[in-house]
């Protein structure tokens, strides 16, 4: 998009609760930056994340975003001060504010980039939901996960669709209805995370995933994510016209011409980026 805002210029807006930086031309880092309260979510943080995601989505050069948290925790769910303020709201205000949170998770889920989760510590409540939305999730062996909403008399409403999709209905119920903590090894076994490594190896493991992603063109990344979101849960026969057209569209792109030529020529495609 020729009129897309420049990422580095946008970061000059001085976010208070997050950090948005460029790792390189093709990789952004989106970091929750409230380590003193375990990166708990406030409405300010939610609004800043939504703005950052719009900036990221508009940058056609970006292929991957590393989602991380500062300090010992990835994200400890909702900020208790924010929760207390919700108790004083009218029903209409609560619904409106909850919808903003729902929009955030939808925008994460439909982001046309690979979202790589770097989870070094606790991911509870909304942090658990963020882990479920990541396309690739790398966790430290010290990470822990829990759906803790029921302990507060609440429920994991806005993250529910993503948790159920990631874990399956039975496991989603199991962990939401017990608020049981899941260690990193169990999280890997049930598919909540993709890789578990020792704390000192977390960054190198993320780098390995980024190297794989940067061997793919941005256009294929975006269209593949859209494809899976469009067909999930639908009977295959209902998808046939859509998938046939989607593949035909892909064949008509420059990426297809270059990819096939590179394969036949036994060379790397022009879009491949080597990590330094």
């Amino acid at each position: 998009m020729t009129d897309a805002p420049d990422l580095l210029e946008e970061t000059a807006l001085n976010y208070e609760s997050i950090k948005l930086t460029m790792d390189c031309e093709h990789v952004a880092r989106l970091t929750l930056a409230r380590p003193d309260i375990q990166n708990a979510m406030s409405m300010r943080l939610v609004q800043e994340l939504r703005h950052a995601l719009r900036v990221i989505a508009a940058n056609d050069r970006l292929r991957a975003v590393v989602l991380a948290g500062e300090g010992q925790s990835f994200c400890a769910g909702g900020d208790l001060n924010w929760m207390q303020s919700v108790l004083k709201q009218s029903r209409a205000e609560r619904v409106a504010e909850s919808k903003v949170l729902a929009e955030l998770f939808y925008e994460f889920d439909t982001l046309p980039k690979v979202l790589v989760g770097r989870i070094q510590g606790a991911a509870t409540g909304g942090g658990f939901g963020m882990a479920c939305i990541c396309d690739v999730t790398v966790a430290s062996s010290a990470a822990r996960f829990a759906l803790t909403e029921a302990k507060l008399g609440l429920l994991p409403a806005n993250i529910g669709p993503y948790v159920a999709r990631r874990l399956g209905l039975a496991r989603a119920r199991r962990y939401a209805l017990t608020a049981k903590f899941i260690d990193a090894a169990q999280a890997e076994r049930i598919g909540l995370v993709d890789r578990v490594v020792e704390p000192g190896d977390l960054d190198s493991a993320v780098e390995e995933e980024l190297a794989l992603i940067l061997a793919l063109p941005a256009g294929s990344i975006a269209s593949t994510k859209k494809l899976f979101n469009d067909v999930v849960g639908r009977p295959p026969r209902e998808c046939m016209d859509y998938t046939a057209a989607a593949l035909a569209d892909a064949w008509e792109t420059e990426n297809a011409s270059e990819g096939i030529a590179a394969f036949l020529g036994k060379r790397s495609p022009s879009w491949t980026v080597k990590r330094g």
Side-chain angles (χ1 to χ4, degrees):
M1 300 180 185
T2 57
D3 59 346
D6 182 82
L7 183 58
L8 295 179
E9 290 180 4
E10 288 292 328
T11 57
L13 291 175
N14 296 321
Y15 296 124
E16 292 181 3
S17 302
I18 66 172
K19 294 178 181 177
L20 177 58
T21 58
M22 289 287 284
D23 183 56
C24 69
E25 185 180 13
H26 305 287
V27 178
R29 303 262 174 179
L30 182 56
T31 306
L32 310 182
R34 307 180 81 203
D36 53 321
I37 55 171
Q38 301 182 72
N39 299 315
M41 299 175 70
S42 65
M43 183 49 61
R44 174 81 186 207
L45 182 142
V46 169
Q47 296 286 21
E48 289 184 358
L49 283 174
R50 293 191 68 194
H51 182 274
L53 290 175
R54 289 194 294 272
V55 173
I56 290 167
N59 188 318
D60 289 338
R61 300 186 301 276
L62 286 174
R63 303 183 201 176
V65 183
V66 178
L67 179 64
E70 288 188 347
Q72 295 184 339
S73 295
F74 174 68
C75 175
D79 183 336
L80 291 178
N81 289 327
W82 179 26
M83 292 183 182
Q84 288 177 329
S85 72
V86 173
L87 289 173
K88 302 174 184 177
Q89 293 176 344
S90 67
R91 176 175 175 80
E93 290 171 331
R94 288 176 188 146
V95 171
E97 198 159 273
S98 184
K99 182 69 181 298
V100 174
L101 187 57
E103 292 286 356
L104 169 67
F105 285 105
Y106 179 79
E107 288 159 8
F108 264 122
D109 189 53
T110 56
L111 186 69
K113 321 292 179 185
V114 182
L115 187 62
V116 180
R118 178 194 181 278
I119 302 179
Q120 83 286 17
T124 59
F128 191 111
M130 287 185 189
C132 289
I133 290 172
C134 289
D135 302 301
V136 178
T137 309
V138 183
S140 159
S141 58
R144 297 198 310 156
F145 306 82
L147 291 166
T148 53
E149 288 84 354
K151 284 187 174 181
L152 301 174
L154 300 171
L155 73 167
N158 293 312
I159 63 175
Y162 311 104
V163 173
R165 186 182 66 191
R166 182 87 178 207
L167 300 184
L169 179 59
R171 282 185 171 140
R173 285 177 171 174
R174 158 121 169 88
Y175 293 111
L177 295 174
T178 61
K180 175 182 173 63
F181 269 89
I182 308 167
D183 64 22
Q186 176 69 3
E188 186 176 28
R189 283 194 294 271
I190 66 175
L192 175 56
V193 302
D194 300 299
R195 294 182 62 182
V196 174
V197 297
E198 292 303 309
D201 297 328
L202 187 57
D203 288 327
S204 61
V206 169
E207 283 297 318
E208 290 172 7
E209 299 299 329
L210 290 173
L212 296 172
I213 295 162
L214 292 180
L216 309 176
S220 292
I221 288 170
S223 59
T224 298
K225 283 195 68 170
K226 183 178 186 303
L227 173 78
F228 284 125
N229 275 341
D230 288 345
V231 303
V232 66
R234 295 172 57 191
R237 182 161 291 280
E238 289 185 8
C239 301
M240 289 172 61
D241 289 344
Y242 169 77
T243 56
L247 183 57
D249 290 343
W251 275 107
E252 295 168 9
T253 64
E254 292 182 4
N255 285 338
S257 298
E258 169 61 12
I260 297 299
F263 180 78
L264 294 175
K266 298 182 180 180
R267 61 175 175 81
S268 296
S270 60
W271 58 70
T272 302
V273 176
K274 300 292 186 183
R275 293 292 280 174

